Amino acid sequence: MTYPLPAWNTRGGGYPGSAAATGTWRVRSCWRRFPVWLSSRRRGHPQHSLPGPNRSSRLDRKAAVMEAPIEQAPVDPMLAEMGENLNKAIQILEDGQREVADDRERRKYSRKDIPGPLQGGGQDVASILQLVQNLMHGDEEDGRWEHRRMQNVGEQGHMALLGHSLAAYISVLDRERLRKLTTRILSDTTLWLCRLFRYENGSAYYHEDDREGLLKVCRLVIHSRYDDFATEGFTVLGSQQPVVYQSAACRMGLGQYLCNQLGLPLSCLCTVPCNTMFGSQHQMDVALLDRLIKDDMDSGKLPLVLIANAGSPGAGHTDKLSRLKELCIQYDIWLHVEGVNLATLTLGCVTSSVMAATKADSMTLTLGPWLGLPAVPAVTLYRHEDPALSLAAGLTSSQPVEKLRALPLWLSLQYLGHDGIVERIRHASQLSQQLLDHLKKQASIKTTVEDELNSPVVVFRFSQDSSTASSVGSAEGCLGWEREVQDSLNRWLGERLVQLVPASGVDVVDLEDEGTCVRFNPLMTAAVLGTQEADVEALVARLTEIVPLLSATLRLRQEFREEVYRHATLAYVEDLGWPGLGAIRYLPRSEEPDAGRRQQEVEKVNSDLLRKLKELDADLSFSTGPEFGPEKNCVFVGMATEDLDVAELVKTIASLGKDIEESGKLLENMTEVVRWGIQEAEMQLQKASDQKLMEEGVLRQIPLVGSMLNWLSPSQSSVQGRTFNLALGSLDTTEPTYSSRTQTGGETPPTTPTSSVSKQLPGHKLFRRGHGSFDAPDSTSFLTPNETSQSWGPQDGSTGLPLQAEPVLTEADTQGAEAGFHVR
């Protein structure tokens, strides 16, 4: 059932003489023309707030005002100056980049204990605005803040900003003039909102915190139901404890906020569960509410207020407001309605479920995000016939300045006009329907909407059925893990869509029954972000690209786990909150008794393993996992593609870990091996020297006699040098080295070990089925040629180390040789 919106007696949705009726201003020129516009309103158009028929379009009004001359009239000089200053302020905040020089001479005689900005004779307006701009954008990179400075603050947004400046100016008027002006502004805005949202005979309360209106309503009900509350206070509540009912789908912390502000115990709050058998699982269970009210009344309690949703904060569903209103009339309970779907009351056709909200005792409207108006107050419309009680509850005020809260809305509503307001709400609803139509074609996307034909809020999630992901269903589904795994994937999906299409305004929401979902709520975001149909198309395109990754990852998780279990050196780390294949840890073989050192070794090996995996040319991401996650010292594998070879991936990880472990052990044992080699070479050289002494005799050792004997009868015995092979740990003679050098006539260049990291086809990634695969490198593939073996003197295939033939190596020589055994 639909209800048409009655036409207004305005030209194009505006009011005669209003901003909407006199044309669209430019952002810069509107401040200069504002005094002229205000003077024209003072002299004429006494019936500008009365509704009437719609006789012309907005475009016709624009053309008419372009042709009509602007009437010049004397204006208030203070008002003109204010408009000029505001224009300069906006220009500096948006475009200005001004260098402010320090006035050192002026501050020379200032007190040192006075903060810097307050020293001296004060700063000019431009300097202060420059400081505001630096605080707003100082932490952002150059050029990046321009697209974020004030998202989609159009001319209607500037009108709202102008309202705050006007409120400060109007507050200094004389009391009588201020009273008349504020009464006019408040009455006009209240009438317009009641007509816009079909709320007859209503009053309005304007507040900054969107919960404050409900708080004042609860105080009004307490004053109404407890006659002596104004004089006796909380003591009268002891006879009958008040009860406030709210839906389980209400926004988080609302009931606790009311109890804290009203001074009531939490026992006064009753949360009504949602439907479990019939109807939407995000709607209040009316039958259960009826039983709860009866039980409370039988126990001597007094039901006061029922808080219902016209668009729940999570899924955007509307309670059965008609049935709830009947219960409230039956038990004399105040019905309060809030929610984003109340915005659709401005449309020409409204669903019957939302239309029932117009019969509620009060409703809260958040016009700022709905219409893209910055810094405008929320509005609570209510019906009550006793103004004294409304004043006691704080819903009305005798202070004229309090009534100026409505001024930004008063200006903005006139500027937009009826057509502009309806167009923004209709545009948001059409965006939701556009996305919903595309999501119906996605096989792995499940939507959670109240009405397939008309749903202002679209909630969806990736959901892989058991037939598609049989391996996951058999292993994880039976243990209740599938829900948590899919929640992590949907959380990643939502965060990814926010990054890729920020103008869409999607966010991540956790629902009790469905789990983690992605929400598209253009009524709250489209007017602020400027969301268009192209943004929705881009969102669908990105979603189409990501869904296959989610499906492949969910399907391959179990296979990845099973492959890890086949390797003794690998440990599978269970982290259901990780949106990817999973986490893996390499466990090096260690006989170290100290647990701390073993942990350090595990950390080092896995850190090097992660670094090597990141260097591979693959379509996989490797990371250390969540920053504040419980699992450390492991490698987290990200999203997988459909053609991923899981067995080859796990085999590669195991091979790389083994190579890193062996390379690390080789480097750790290098000092001991080199020291042993030097000691062994020293012993062998000492034996060779003693043997030479025995063969040649003592006479050959005397300097002069030995030289003469060597000339007459040369000795054939000599002490051969020694070479030490670092890779084999063996000590050999230098005879093969010198023989090879003599045959080749020069030094043989060292052989360079080749690192066989991968053998893949050009243009293909690693770990893909049917493409080039990874070949495990040898034990020295991660060392440079100098790290594999180091030698002194000529080298051949044995990569030996020749030592000089000395009778005895002194201690200094030994230390020098030890210093030479090093790995660069």
Side-chain angles (χ1 to χ4, degrees):
M1 183 175 181
T2 58
Y3 299 86
L5 178 65
W8 285 11
N9 187 16
T10 58
R11 292 179 295 174
Y15 296 91
S18 67
T22 55
T24 302
W25 297 339
R26 299 301 177 200
V27 177
R28 292 289 182 267
S29 62
C30 64
W31 319 119
R32 301 187 180 92
R33 296 175 56 185
F34 174 77
V36 179
W37 167 79
L38 183 62
S39 299
S40 64
R41 291 184 55 83
R42 287 179 176 175
R43 294 192 310 274
H45 312 298
Q47 300 178 353
H48 71 280
S49 63
L50 299 179
N54 189 346
R55 291 192 295 265
S56 64
S57 65
R58 193 177 182 90
L59 295 177
D60 295 338
R61 288 185 282 116
K62 286 184 179 181
V65 76
M66 293 295 292
E67 297 177 0
I70 300 177
E71 180 182 2
Q72 301 292 337
V75 298
D76 189 342
M78 291 292 296
L79 194 60
E81 183 179 359
M82 182 195 66
E84 183 178 355
N85 290 337
L86 185 60
N87 181 35
K88 294 180 179 179
I90 293 294
Q91 183 177 3
I92 292 177
L93 287 178
E94 291 188 348
D95 305 320
Q97 293 291 341
R98 183 174 177 269
E99 296 293 336
V100 181
D102 295 331
D103 190 359
R104 299 181 179 178
E105 185 67 24
R106 184 182 60 184
R107 301 181 179 181
K108 184 167 57 177
Y109 302 102
S110 300
R111 287 170 48 188
K112 295 183 179 180
D113 58 338
I114 300 298
L118 301 183
Q119 291 182 0
Q123 304 183 45
D124 55 71
V125 177
S127 301
I128 299 174
L129 292 176
Q130 181 67 36
L131 175 62
V132 174
Q133 179 186 349
N134 294 337
L135 293 176
M136 292 169 58
H137 313 294
D139 58 342
E140 301 179 9
E141 299 179 3
D142 296 339
R144 291 187 57 188
W145 64 270
E146 294 184 358
H147 70 284
R148 297 175 49 193
R149 53 188 175 190
M150 299 178 74
Q151 293 178 333
N152 200 41
V153 177
E155 297 181 15
Q156 75 279 0
H158 287 278
M159 290 299 297
L161 299 178
L162 177 62
H164 290 276
S165 300
L166 277 177
Y169 172 74
I170 294 174
S171 63
V172 301
L173 298 177
D174 60 87
R175 187 174 183 83
E176 182 62 23
R177 186 178 301 178
L178 177 62
R179 184 189 62 81
K180 292 181 179 180
L181 180 57
T182 55
T183 301
R184 177 63 175 273
I185 293 173
L186 187 63
S187 60
D188 286 354
T189 310
T190 301
L191 174 63
W192 301 340
L193 291 176
C194 289
R195 293 292 179 87
L196 272 171
F197 293 93
R198 308 165 187 263
Y199 197 80
E200 299 178 358
N201 302 323
S203 302
Y205 173 65
Y206 303 88
H207 45 94
E208 302 299 331
D209 190 342
D210 55 1
R211 302 172 298 180
E212 187 179 353
L214 176 57
L215 174 64
K216 301 292 187 182
V217 165
C218 291
R219 287 179 178 170
L220 173 64
V221 179
I222 292 177
H223 279 279
S224 302
R225 301 297 298 275
Y226 295 92
D227 296 335
D228 298 331
F229 183 78
T231 56
E232 301 296 331
F234 69 92
T235 57
V236 302
L237 304 180
S239 58
Q240 280 186 306
Q241 178 178 331
V243 182
V244 177
Y245 301 90
Q246 68 169 3
S247 170
C250 280
R251 49 180 163 166
M252 190 74 65
L254 179 61
Q256 290 80 354
Y257 168 81
L258 295 177
C259 291
N260 292 336
Q261 296 297 318
L262 295 172
L264 299 177
L266 292 179
S267 58
C268 295
L269 179 64
C270 179
T271 301
V272 183
C274 295
N275 297 323
T276 56
M277 298 297 295
F278 305 101
S280 171
Q281 295 180 343
H282 302 277
Q283 290 179 341
M284 189 185 304
D285 191 334
V286 181
L288 181 57
L289 173 63
D290 191 7
R291 293 196 298 269
L292 291 174
I293 295 176
K294 291 179 180 179
D295 293 342
D296 289 336
M297 296 182 67
D298 293 341
S299 60
K301 297 180 180 180
L302 181 61
L304 284 185
V305 178
L306 171 61
I307 306 172
N309 292 318
S312 58
H317 291 202
T318 302
D319 290 326
K320 299 176 181 179
L321 300 179
S322 299
R323 288 280 294 116
L324 295 178
K325 182 59 179 177
E326 295 175 1
L327 284 181
C328 290
I329 295 176
Q330 179 182 351
Y331 297 109
D332 194 15
I333 301 176
W334 183 285
L335 177 60
H336 178 83
V337 180
E338 60 180 20
V340 67
N341 292 348
L342 293 175
T344 60
L345 289 172
T346 61
L347 301 178
C349 296
V350 186
T351 60
S352 58
S353 59
V354 178
M355 193 66 188
T358 60
K359 304 301 180 181
D361 298 294
S362 59
M363 65 169 63
T364 297
L365 311 174
T366 54
L367 297 171
W370 296 351
L371 303 178
L373 303 176
V376 297
V379 184
T380 295
L381 303 179
Y382 65 97
R383 297 189 184 97
H384 200 267
E385 298 178 355
D386 193 341
L389 293 181
S390 299
L391 181 61
L395 287 169
T396 58
S397 175
S398 59
Q399 298 296 326
V401 178
E402 294 291 331
K403 300 178 181 179
L404 287 176
R405 290 181 180 177
L407 182 57
L409 270 177
W410 185 73
L411 293 174
S412 301
L413 291 177
Q414 291 183 82
Y415 182 81
L416 289 173
H418 178 258
D419 292 347
I421 295 171
V422 172
E423 177 59 31
R424 279 161 176 76
I425 305 300
R426 180 184 293 112
H427 174 68
S429 301
Q430 292 173 350
L431 292 178
S432 296
Q433 192 61 40
Q434 178 186 359
L435 177 62
L436 185 59
D437 293 340
H438 285 288
L439 294 180
K440 293 177 182 178
K441 305 174 184 178
Q442 297 281 349
S444 300
I445 296 297
K446 177 183 177 181
T447 59
T448 303
V449 294
E450 183 179 16
D451 186 358
E452 294 288 343
L453 299 178
N454 186 10
S455 180
V457 181
V458 179
V459 178
F460 62 94
R461 68 181 263 115
F462 167 77
S463 179
Q464 190 80 51
D465 56 11
S466 58
S467 60
T468 306
S470 57
S471 61
V472 177
S474 60
E476 298 182 2
C478 62
L479 298 177
W481 296 345
E482 185 177 2
R483 164 73 176 270
E484 189 171 353
V485 171
Q486 292 198 10
D487 283 350
S488 65
L489 295 178
N490 280 279
R491 188 174 295 107
W492 178 86
L493 170 63
E495 294 172 354
R496 188 64 178 158
L497 291 177
V498 171
Q499 297 175 355
L500 297 176
V501 194
S504 64
V506 296
D507 61 348
V508 180
V509 59
D510 291 321
L511 303 180
E512 182 177 358
D513 297 313
E514 289 81 0
T516 303
C517 302
V518 182
R519 177 176 58 188
F520 180 64
N521 190 1
L523 282 174
M524 296 294 293
T525 61
V528 177
L529 300 177
T531 309
Q532 302 297 327
E533 295 180 358
D535 299 317
V536 177
E537 295 294 337
L539 180 67
V540 174
R542 293 296 186 178
L543 185 63
T544 305
E545 297 173 359
I546 295 176
V547 165
L549 294 178
L550 299 175
S551 301
T553 301
L554 187 61
R555 181 178 58 84
L556 296 175
R557 279 180 71 100
Q558 177 64 17
E559 182 180 351
F560 180 74
R561 181 191 294 107
E562 294 174 353
E563 287 293 334
V564 171
Y565 287 153
R566 292 190 177 98
H567 293 76
T569 57
L570 298 180
Y572 183 81
V573 180
E574 191 66 63
D575 189 351
L576 300 180
W578 172 249
L581 277 181
I584 193 172
R585 180 183 291 119
Y586 184 84
L587 301 177
R589 296 178 295 272
S590 176
E591 299 178 356
E592 176 64 43
D594 187 2
R597 297 192 63 178
R598 287 200 307 269
Q599 183 67 20
Q600 292 178 359
E601 184 178 357
V602 171
E603 180 179 357
K604 182 179 184 304
V605 171
N606 284 275
S607 177
D608 293 341
L609 176 61
L610 175 61
R611 178 174 56 84
K612 292 297 182 182
L613 289 174
K614 287 184 176 180
E615 295 175 357
L616 299 179
D617 186 14
D619 285 332
L620 284 172
S621 63
F622 303 94
S623 67
T624 57
E627 182 178 0
F628 301 103
E631 299 295 341
K632 303 296 181 183
N633 304 328
C634 51
V635 177
F636 285 80
V637 186
M639 290 292 175
T641 56
E642 188 68 29
D643 57 352
L644 175 66
D645 192 337
V646 177
E648 189 66 27
L649 169 63
V650 177
K651 177 182 176 182
T652 300
I653 295 177
S655 300
L656 291 177
K658 179 181 178 181
D659 297 333
I660 294 173
E661 179 187 5
E662 293 178 352
S663 300
K665 289 182 178 179
L666 176 63
L667 296 177
E668 291 175 1
N669 298 330
M670 190 70 67
T671 302
E672 296 295 333
V673 173
V674 170
R675 183 179 292 109
W676 173 86
I678 293 177
Q679 294 176 354
E680 185 69 19
E682 179 183 355
M683 295 175 58
Q684 293 184 12
L685 291 175
Q686 180 66 34
K687 292 180 180 180
S689 297
D690 295 341
Q691 182 179 1
K692 178 182 179 183
L693 178 63
M694 295 297 296
E695 293 177 355
E696 296 179 351
V698 179
L699 293 177
R700 290 184 180 271
Q701 309 305 319
I702 301 175
L704 296 178
V705 178
S707 300
M708 182 64 67
L709 291 177
N710 290 333
W711 179 71
L712 295 175
S713 176
S715 175
Q716 300 297 325
S717 63
S718 63
V719 178
Q720 296 180 352
R722 297 294 186 269
T723 63
F724 180 64
N725 193 308
L726 296 181
L728 301 178
S730 61
L731 194 67
D732 302 319
T733 64
T734 58
E735 183 178 359
T737 302
Y738 288 112
S739 298
S740 174
R741 181 177 180 182
T742 302
Q743 295 174 2
T744 58
E747 182 178 353
T748 302
T751 59
T752 302
T754 59
S755 176
S756 176
V757 177
S758 63
K759 296 179 180 179
Q760 62 183 107
L761 298 176
H764 294 292
K765 302 290 185 179
L766 292 173
F767 315 130
R768 286 188 176 181
R769 290 191 178 93
H771 294 164
S773 61
F774 183 93
D775 290 340
D778 56 19
S779 60
T780 61
S781 62
F782 293 102
L783 294 176
T784 62
N786 289 332
E787 293 174 331
T788 306
S789 62
Q790 183 73 38
S791 63
W792 286 260
Q795 302 178 7
D796 61 357
S798 64
T799 62
L801 171 64
L803 298 177
Q804 291 183 355
E806 295 279 343
V808 177
L809 286 177
T810 64
E811 182 179 359
D813 296 333
T814 304
Q815 293 177 353
E818 280 189 54
F821 281 78
H822 68 280
V823 177
R824 287 177 289 179

